[in-house]
């Protein structure tokens, strides 16, 4: 299929679309998500809209992966500091489409792979996502903080027109990153 996000879009809440291969897998801002056939977990979950779904999905995915997977704000899964997976939340008027890609047996240069089997990982992901997508905000934020590789670091946030550099101090109640007291709601983060 082209992208699990597009196949999932018209489906009802509770649906899950899984691909062996995507010809047009995408990240945020129309960036591409690459993975050769059969080498990754590529799934889109149709969920109720939730303002911190991206963070909740990160928590769920890190829990499902286990083995030291950590979170980089806003939506990356890291293994040993390298990107092993990503999360893309897109909304329709009534649903949120939560796309999760995790490298299993292949990764692009500089990225990481998890080396786990897809089916058991998908099962754990379903369970964790069910739980965290409807969990209390405070519980999501608490576990996100514990799994975070971003908090406490110096970061650069590139917002296109603006670049913010400073210490990533915390995340706020809306999932925003607080950098030297400034609330950051979007941008690409580099750990310095
Ligand atoms: C993301 O975007 O990290 C979200 C990726 C979501 C992919 C899933 S797969 C299932 C579902 N269906 C879709 O079509 N998408 C979702 P972003 O933060 O924008 O990161 C994208 C950037 O990550 C790219 O510009 C590359 O630099 C890098 N990248 C691409 N493929 C990668 C891979 N397999 N592993 C690590 N990094 C990758």
């Amino acid at each position: 299929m082209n992208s699990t996000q597009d196949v999932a879009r018209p489906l009802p809440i509770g649906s899950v679309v899984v691909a062996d291969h995507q010809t047009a897998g995408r990240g945020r801002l129309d960036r591409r998500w690459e993975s050769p056939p059969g080498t990754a977990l590529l799934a889109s979950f149709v969920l109720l809209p939730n303002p911190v779904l991206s963070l909740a999905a990160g928590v769920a995915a890190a829990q499902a992966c286990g083995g030291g997977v950590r979170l980089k704000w806003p939506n990356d899964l890291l293994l040993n500091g390298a990107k092993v997976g990503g999360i893309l939340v897109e909304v329709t008027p009534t649903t949120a489409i939560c796309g999760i890609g995790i490298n299993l047996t292949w990764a692009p240069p500089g990225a990481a792979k998890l080396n786990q089997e897809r089916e058991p990982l998908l099962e754990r992901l379903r369970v964790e996502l069910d739980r965290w997508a409807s969990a209390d905000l405070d519980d999501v934020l608490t576990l996100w903080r514990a799994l975070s590789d971003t908090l406490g670091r110096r970061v650069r946030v590139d917002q296109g027109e603006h670049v913010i550099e400073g210490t990533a101090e915390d995340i706020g109640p809306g999932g925003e990153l607080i950098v030297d007291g400034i609330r950051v709601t979007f941008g690409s983060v580099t750990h310095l």
Side-chain angles (χ1 to χ4, degrees):
M1 64 182 77
N2 52 359
S3 161
T4 55
Q5 292 292 98
D6 296 332
V7 176
R9 182 166 275 264
L11 300 180
I13 286 169
S15 307
V16 186
V17 175
V18 180
D20 195 56
H21 181 51
Q22 300 181 116
T23 52
R26 62 175 177 267
R28 294 176 303 150
L29 309 169
D30 273 336
R31 293 191 281 239
R32 286 189 60 81
W33 186 257
E34 310 282 352
S35 57
T39 64
L41 185 155
L42 307 165
S44 294
F45 299 79
V46 186
L47 302 169
L48 279 170
N50 165 349
V52 293
L53 185 54
S54 182
L55 298 186
V59 165
Q63 294 288 85
C65 291
V69 168
R70 294 176 63 79
L71 300 170
K72 178 179 165 201
W73 191 91
N75 69 331
D76 286 357
L77 303 169
L78 302 184
L79 184 62
N80 300 323
K83 183 157 173 166
V84 72
I87 291 161
L88 172 68
V89 176
E90 295 174 324
V91 292
T92 77
T94 51
T95 64
I97 316 292
C98 177
I100 302 182
I102 301 173
N103 302 327
L104 298 177
T105 56
W106 175 91
K113 56 189 177 183
L114 196 63
N115 283 316
Q116 287 188 20
E117 284 185 34
R118 183 166 62 187
E119 292 314 312
L121 178 61
L122 181 62
E123 269 322 300
R124 288 200 301 280
L125 187 55
R126 271 182 209 271
V127 172
E128 295 290 346
L129 203 53
D130 260 0
R131 169 172 180 204
W132 290 103
S134 56
D136 276 354
L137 174 63
D138 281 349
D139 293 342
V140 173
L141 297 181
T142 300
L143 192 50
W144 196 92
R145 289 183 181 107
L147 291 165
S148 165
D149 198 36
T150 298
L151 297 184
R153 280 183 187 272
R154 285 197 66 77
V155 296
R156 179 186 306 124
V157 188
D158 190 338
Q159 298 189 316
E161 285 200 354
H162 301 279
V163 175
I164 301 162
E165 231 178 83
T167 301
E169 295 168 336
D170 200 3
I171 42 170
E176 68 276 24
L177 186 66
I178 300 170
V179 180
D180 286 355
I182 299 168
R183 290 176 182 273
V184 175
T185 56
F186 70 98
S188 294
V189 170
T190 306
H191 288 167
L192 300 175

